[in-house]
Amino acid sequence: MNASPNKTLIHMLLVDDDQFDRMACKRALALYPDCAFDFFEAETAQEGLQLARSQAIDCVLLDYHLPDMSGVEFLAELAEETGELPLPVVMLTGSDNAMVAVDALKLGARDYVVKGSDGDSLQWLPAVVLRALREQQVIQDKVLALDQLREAEAKYRSLVEQIPAITYIASLENPGQLLYVSPQIQQLGFPDTFWLDNDEGFLKRVHAEDRQQTLEALAMTYQRHVPLRCEYRLLKHNGQARWFLDEANVVSDETRGALCLQGVLIDVTLKKENEQELFYYRRRLEELVAHRTAELEKQSAILEGANARMDAELCERKRAEAALRKSETRFRMLLESA
């Protein structure tokens, strides 16, 4: 459909072998003031199929009785491989062909209009055509939105499956149950189905020593919808433990509220090992410093004792020297007197 400054231009295909019926349809549509109609006409089904496939047709008015095939057969030929009609079709039937209209609707026709001998029944034709066009536009918009959604999902999936972290989506209705997990989870030695088919999800392989604190952190997130951040160990298929940082947020929608829990698992085993190694060396250094300090204090005490003894010996020596000098003086005086 193209738009003109004043009216919407609609390209109509009339497939009817009766010239007077085609003229009646064109007159009925021309009475609608908001649209301008550009008509393509075909007297046989083959001509109509050729025009429908080669021209930019917006809507088809299809008579049931055609020289080369029926209207139902026309719909079957026009349908795509998926069984869907590429454009809206409105059937033109007689007053005694109600079952024909039902069969046409089953094959994808949008609606039908009964052709009466007086022509008054065609007064509803513009409304029927416009309703069919609106329905077709809604379907096209829905298909486009689904295509865009699939494209965005494919891009997102490709992105998250290339990063080293494990991404996941968990249910909020069943705590722990996973709805999606990226292929990086296979580094633990289990296939994706091992995690997705189990209600416990990651909890199934959480280390026993970390299970309680992990359950408490998850309970807080599920009850209050606060962000999740915790560290725990997951056991690989061979029993080896790997440390992971689990960070997740509750995804919400304005109309539907909380939808799911979306998060990432980051392997922090190397960081944990470095922290443990650093803690060991720090503790070892503290022990060495304490031991060295004790030795220095012991040596200091020995030195202080030696210094005290030396001081005492010096004092004793000074006293002895003083006594010796005094005795020497006395003997000298005695000798001189003699």
Side-chain angles (χ1 to χ4, degrees):
M1 253 186 297
N2 298 321
S4 64
N6 299 322
K7 295 183 178 181
T8 301
L9 179 61
I10 300 175
H11 301 284
M12 295 291 303
L13 172 59
L14 297 177
V15 185
D16 195 330
D17 61 336
D18 192 320
Q19 181 179 1
F20 294 102
D21 286 343
R22 297 199 303 271
M23 292 178 61
C25 290
K26 289 192 287 186
R27 283 197 301 269
L29 293 172
L31 295 176
Y32 191 76
D34 296 334
C35 296
F37 293 90
D38 181 23
F39 294 100
F40 296 85
E41 300 183 40
E43 295 184 355
T44 65
Q46 290 297 337
E47 292 178 2
L49 289 171
Q50 182 179 1
L51 288 172
R53 292 164 178 164
S54 61
Q55 303 296 327
I57 304 299
D58 296 319
C59 185
V60 178
L61 286 178
L62 176 64
D63 185 27
Y64 177 75
H65 296 288
L66 296 171
D68 47 351
M69 65 178 68
S70 67
V72 174
E73 294 171 336
F74 180 95
L75 293 175
E77 287 287 332
L78 183 62
E80 299 175 339
E81 295 181 358
T82 59
E84 300 291 332
L85 295 177
L87 65 165
V89 177
V90 176
M91 291 295 298
L92 298 173
T93 66
S95 57
D96 56 345
N97 296 121
M99 293 305 299
V100 170
V102 173
D103 293 338
L105 293 176
K106 290 180 180 179
L107 289 175
R110 291 278 179 257
D111 210 334
Y112 70 94
V113 175
V114 177
K115 294 189 297 183
S117 57
D118 54 1
D120 292 340
S121 58
L122 292 178
Q123 63 179 323
W124 306 110
L125 183 59
V128 172
V129 169
L130 292 177
R131 183 169 64 248
L133 291 171
R134 284 194 297 269
E135 291 177 357
Q136 183 70 14
Q137 188 63 46
V138 169
I139 292 175
Q140 290 177 351
D141 292 342
K142 183 178 179 181
V143 170
L144 179 61
L146 288 175
D147 290 340
Q148 293 175 344
L149 180 61
R150 292 191 189 98
E151 182 180 357
E153 182 180 355
K155 292 180 179 179
Y156 172 76
R157 185 184 296 270
S158 175
L159 176 63
V160 300
E161 292 180 356
Q162 291 179 12
I163 61 178
I166 300 170
T167 58
Y168 68 88
I169 299 175
S171 170
L172 289 177
E173 298 178 357
N174 300 318
Q177 183 180 8
L178 296 173
L179 304 177
Y180 166 80
V181 62
S182 62
Q184 291 89 329
I185 192 66
Q186 296 177 6
Q187 64 183 271
L188 295 176
F190 299 99
D192 300 353
T193 54
F194 175 83
W195 310 95
L196 297 174
D197 296 342
N198 190 284
D199 293 340
E200 289 188 330
F202 299 132
L203 293 174
K204 184 177 182 180
R205 300 295 295 179
V206 172
H207 196 284
E209 297 178 1
D210 305 328
R211 186 175 180 85
Q212 184 59 38
Q213 66 176 12
T214 303
L215 288 173
E216 292 175 358
L218 283 174
M220 184 71 68
T221 296
Y222 277 96
Q223 293 171 7
R224 302 184 182 180
H225 291 177
V226 296
L228 172 68
R229 180 181 174 86
C230 62
E231 293 182 352
Y232 51 82
R233 285 165 288 182
L234 289 176
L235 300 177
K236 300 177 64 175
H237 69 290
N238 58 3
Q240 180 187 3
R242 302 289 297 180
W243 278 98
F244 285 92
L245 170 62
D246 191 347
E247 290 187 323
N249 289 281
V250 175
V251 178
S252 302
D253 183 80
E254 294 181 356
T255 57
R256 293 177 291 175
L259 301 178
C260 61
L261 183 69
Q262 190 174 50
V264 294
L265 284 177
I266 303 173
D267 192 328
V268 292
T269 304
L270 181 60
K271 171 177 170 288
K272 281 289 184 180
E273 292 175 350
N274 291 337
E275 288 178 352
Q276 293 175 357
E277 186 176 0
L278 181 61
F279 174 78
Y280 168 77
Y281 283 117
R282 183 183 294 114
R283 185 172 180 181
R284 180 62 179 162
L285 180 61
E286 291 175 352
E287 292 176 353
L288 291 174
V289 170
H291 179 69
R292 185 60 176 168
T293 302
E295 289 183 348
L296 290 175
E297 290 177 351
K298 184 178 180 181
Q299 292 178 1
S300 178
I302 294 173
L303 290 174
E304 287 178 359
N307 289 334
R309 287 193 300 270
M310 290 178 64
D311 290 341
E313 291 177 357
L314 289 174
C315 291
E316 185 65 26
R317 184 174 180 179
K318 288 179 179 179
R319 286 195 298 270
E321 289 178 350
L324 181 61
R325 285 193 297 269
K326 185 177 180 181
S327 177
E328 182 181 0
T329 302
R330 187 170 62 250
F331 279 107
R332 182 180 291 113
M333 290 177 63
L334 179 61
L335 178 61
E336 291 176 353
S337 298

